[in-house]
Amino acid sequence: MTTVTDTFARPLQDLRISLTDRCNFRCTYCMPRELFGSEHLFLPRRELLDFDEIERLARIAASLGVRKLRLTGGEPLLRRDIDVLIARLAAINGIDDICLTTNGSLLTEKRARELKAAGVNRVTLSLDAIDDDVFKAINDVGYPASKVLTAIDNAKAAGLTPVKVNCVIQRGVNEDQILPMVEHFRHSGVVLRFIEFMDVGTSNGWRMEEVVTAREVVETVRTRHAISRLPANVAGETANRWIFDDGAGEIGIIASVSQPFCGGCSRARLSAIGELYTCLFGVHGRDLRTPLRSGATDDELCDLLAGIWQARDDRYSERRGEETERRRGNADGKVEMSYIGG
């Protein structure tokens, strides 16, 4: 195995694989209905990487140091026979952690058990409010929070733990849900993670004024509970960890806007059509599907992937102001979160 590093000596350790650009939610901060309505053209199936292609690229990535795979979408559980793919990925030498991010709408008891049996270690679910009316307004399909809570229970029962719950906080939308979410998940064993509203893509109308910062989240939680900072579990971890002083569990805060963590980022993202992005806020991905389907050998693909990572100099969040200005007026906007999975 070779460990490949970029221009800032950051190793390639995590690969996030988008299985589809489709989702059955229309969350206002990710796939707003006015842009992803009934007339929106999603990718045709023939353009998606098939399971052989995904497995091959994951195997090559593992040879370069990748240890963790995260399966995303869109909504990854919309991809047919996903458990077959997971079993193949779990058999790759060097891969020791497979995670899946889902909105929970399709995570039944049976599906959770199937995912565990196939090789998923743990899942992260998205839930942006505990109040049904607030959550229905955010997902814009009328899906109640109560059903996501059932999916969380299904994940816990299947052993897909530790279960994490991601909650994107947007000022004027759901900042009043911070304390209700905290109260619900205390003593549950679930790790609740608050995420600053990010300028991923160009469709969510991001404005800095709508960002509820990590500091504000901490101050809000501390109006009710004493919490203390914990050290990171591993280098490059995305969330700042906080523990309840009374032993009720922990929460995380992903502060990529107010407290960028580019310096420890070890993540690459593979889109559903085989484009490799080296930053969540990237504009252009590198096409891996064409060489895959044009007869490239494993060695050639390995050299291509290694070369992309070795040339990487991304640190968008640390340079957000100047990067935003530099890209202003650029016809090529940042890639959408629904396309590469966040």
Side-chain angles (χ1 to χ4, degrees):
M1 182 200 77
T2 301
T3 299
V4 62
T5 57
D6 68 7
T7 59
F8 293 105
R10 296 171 295 190
L12 173 60
Q13 296 176 326
D14 308 83
L15 181 62
R16 301 189 173 194
I17 303 172
S18 173
L19 301 181
T20 178
D21 64 328
R22 298 171 188 262
C23 186
N24 52 351
F25 283 11
R26 288 296 176 269
C27 296
T28 52
Y29 60 82
C30 183
M31 294 182 71
R33 186 177 297 279
E34 58 268 25
L35 296 178
F36 295 88
S38 58
E39 302 300 314
H40 181 76
L41 296 177
F42 289 98
L43 296 169
R45 187 172 182 84
R46 66 180 179 277
E47 292 193 18
L48 303 181
L49 293 183
D50 63 31
F51 288 176
D52 288 340
E53 292 166 332
I54 294 172
E55 179 189 3
R56 188 178 177 198
L57 288 177
R59 192 180 303 280
I60 290 169
S63 75
L64 293 172
V66 165
R67 289 292 166 264
K68 182 171 79 174
L69 303 177
R70 179 175 291 278
L71 304 181
T72 68
E75 170 49 51
L77 294 182
L78 289 172
R79 185 74 184 256
R80 191 175 304 169
D81 298 322
I82 186 176
D83 49 321
V84 174
L85 172 64
I86 291 165
R88 293 169 63 170
L89 296 176
I92 295 175
N93 184 41
I95 298 299
D96 53 30
D97 191 16
I98 297 180
C99 317
L100 182 138
T101 298
T102 175
N103 62 31
S105 62
L106 302 174
L107 193 61
T108 62
E109 290 183 56
K110 180 175 181 290
R111 174 57 91 191
R113 290 194 300 268
E114 290 171 344
L115 292 174
K116 181 65 175 180
V120 173
N121 299 100
R122 52 197 174 86
V123 295
T124 297
L125 292 98
S126 299
L127 179 64
D128 300 308
I130 204 73
D131 179 272
D132 270 347
D133 290 337
V134 176
F135 186 59
K136 287 177 181 179
I138 293 172
N139 65 56
D140 202 19
V141 294
Y143 198 82
S146 55
K147 288 190 176 183
V148 180
L149 296 177
T150 298
I152 292 169
D153 289 339
N154 293 341
K156 291 169 64 178
L160 295 168
T161 56
V163 175
K164 296 180 180 179
V165 170
N166 285 347
C167 178
V168 176
I169 298 295
Q170 185 176 356
R171 195 179 308 281
V173 176
N174 65 336
E175 71 266 44
D176 64 341
Q177 294 296 295
I178 294 173
L179 287 176
M181 290 284 286
V182 165
E183 295 303 329
H184 183 88
F185 288 108
R186 274 169 48 85
H187 298 289
S188 69
V190 171
V191 179
L192 173 62
R193 305 196 303 178
F194 294 109
I195 302 177
E196 292 179 344
F197 178 43
M198 294 184 289
D199 51 331
V200 180
T202 57
S203 66
N204 65 6
W206 183 87
R207 295 185 304 155
M208 186 66 196
E209 308 88 81
E210 295 178 341
V211 176
V212 178
T213 66
R215 180 185 293 273
E216 292 175 272
V217 173
V218 169
E219 290 173 349
T220 300
V221 175
R222 280 180 166 164
T223 64
R224 188 79 56 85
H225 300 287
I227 56 174
S228 300
R229 185 71 180 269
L230 283 174
N233 278 317
V234 294
E237 197 168 47
T238 57
N240 297 328
R241 300 174 62 215
W242 295 82
I243 191 170
F244 292 103
D245 291 355
D246 63 0
E250 73 172 82
I251 61 173
I253 304 177
I254 299 176
S256 70
V257 177
S258 67
Q259 301 170 29
F261 42 84
C262 302
C265 181
S266 59
R267 290 168 291 280
R269 293 167 170 84
L270 183 66
S271 78
I273 60 171
E275 293 173 329
L276 189 76
Y277 288 83
T278 55
C279 179
L280 175 60
F281 303 95
V283 175
H284 299 292
R286 291 289 299 274
D287 177 21
L288 300 182
R289 187 185 64 183
T290 296
L292 261 176
R293 296 182 177 180
S294 300
T297 66
D298 282 359
D299 285 343
E300 289 170 336
L301 290 169
C302 186
D303 288 344
L304 176 59
L305 180 52
I308 293 170
W309 189 263
Q310 287 166 340
R312 176 188 190 233
D313 62 359
D314 304 292
R315 51 189 188 97
Y316 174 86
S317 288
E318 293 178 348
R319 304 172 58 184
R320 179 169 271 104
E322 62 185 275
E323 283 291 316
T324 300
E325 185 62 32
R326 183 177 65 83
R327 296 180 186 186
R328 195 180 303 277
N330 187 342
D332 297 322
K334 297 191 297 291
V335 64
E336 299 296 337
M337 184 183 296
S338 59
Y339 192 71
I340 57 171

